[in-house]
Amino acid sequence: MGIKEIILNALFPDKVVCCSCGREAVVSESGLCRDCGMGLEMFNSAPPIENIEGYTAAYIYNDVSGSMVKRLKYNNARYIAKILADAVKISEEWDVDVVVPIPLHYKRLAKRGYNQSEKIAFGVSHITHIPMAANCLKRTVFKE
């Protein structure tokens, strides 16, 4: 790291921007300012879906979590993937073989440069030690 980066990091340290609203603030471990942290709802129980043994999510989708996802997808805020992955809880009762990210169409992947779902899945795989299988699914339909 050069002198310029050291000075910039001293003046503008990491983790002072809320990962939901984007405002400069003192943020919690989850990367949120106080206001956004109060609006975040953990995903605690999954209503049953026919033919699905179980599923999970980090948060209930609302303004706060939605803003986090949008910043990850559209504002190149890749660091948010780790924050979301840290919040995913996988039941110990499940016999999970692999973590599978939802793929992007190759045109969307080329435009964005990364798959946000794969970034989150990588974090979940790393935390849980469950292997990730990124090439199990293929998106064939492109929607603008």
Side-chain angles (χ1 to χ4, degrees), residues 75-91:
N75 295 100
N76 201 28
R78 298 179 196 200
Y79 70 95
I80 294 174
K82 182 183 181 330
I83 293 168
L84 294 172
D86 287 345
V88 172
K89 305 297 180 230
I90 296 179
S91 172

Side-chain angles (χ1 to χ4, degrees), residues 18-100:
C18 176
C19 65
S20 178
C21 68
R23 291 181 300 186
E24 288 186 22
V26 175
V27 298
S28 66
E29 265 185 37
S30 59
L32 299 168
C33 67
R34 191 184 78 229
D35 293 340
C36 290
M38 291 173 51
L40 195 63
E41 297 178 66
M42 296 301 295
F43 183 86
N44 293 320
S45 63
I49 297 176
E50 188 176 339
N51 298 321
I52 301 293
E53 183 178 329
Y55 64 95
T56 190
Y59 304 109
I60 301 293
Y61 192 83
N62 63 17
D63 289 344
V64 175
S65 60
S67 180
M68 291 171 70
V69 170
K70 289 172 188 164
R71 287 174 46 82
L72 169 61
K73 288 174 70 171
Y74 306 120
N75 295 100
N76 201 28
R78 298 179 196 200
Y79 70 95
I80 294 174
K82 182 183 181 330
I83 293 168
L84 294 172
D86 287 345
V88 172
K89 305 297 180 230
I90 296 179
S91 172
E92 292 182 14
E93 297 173 6
W94 297 345
D95 185 20
V96 179
D97 297 317
V98 293
V99 176
V100 180

